[in-house]
Amino acid sequence: MYKIEFISTGHIFSLPEDAAKELKEKFPSEYKILEKNGKKFRDRVKKSEKVPEDKSILSKVLDEED
């Protein structure tokens, strides 16, 4: 059994190994593995990449005054 944490809400779930690995593969930045078979595990979560300003919707929404 694996204990995983859903990072955005902080909820902790105990799941079988295959289900926990599947969630971690599909959503690596949303889940963190806390324990593997009762032993503490240090999982590293990938940080989300920043969106360049030219591809951001903010520049399209704001009116620029010169």
Side-chain angles (χ1 to χ4, degrees), residues 8-62:
S8 62
T9 61
H11 288 94
I12 298 174
F13 303 97
S14 293
L15 297 172
E17 180 179 352
D18 56 340
K21 285 183 178 181
E22 183 180 336
L23 281 174
K24 184 65 178 172
E25 287 175 7
K26 287 185 180 179
F27 310 103
S29 62
E30 294 180 14
Y31 289 95
K32 181 179 179 182
I33 297 176
L34 302 174
E35 289 184 11
K36 286 186 175 183
N37 299 323
K39 295 181 182 177
K40 289 186 179 180
F41 180 76
R42 180 168 286 198
D43 190 15
R44 298 174 192 228
V45 179
K46 294 182 181 178
K47 294 183 180 179
S48 60
E49 297 178 12
K50 291 186 177 181
V51 178
E53 284 188 31
D54 58 333
K55 293 186 179 182
S56 169
I57 194 161
L58 182 63
S59 62
K60 296 177 183 177
V61 173
L62 293 178

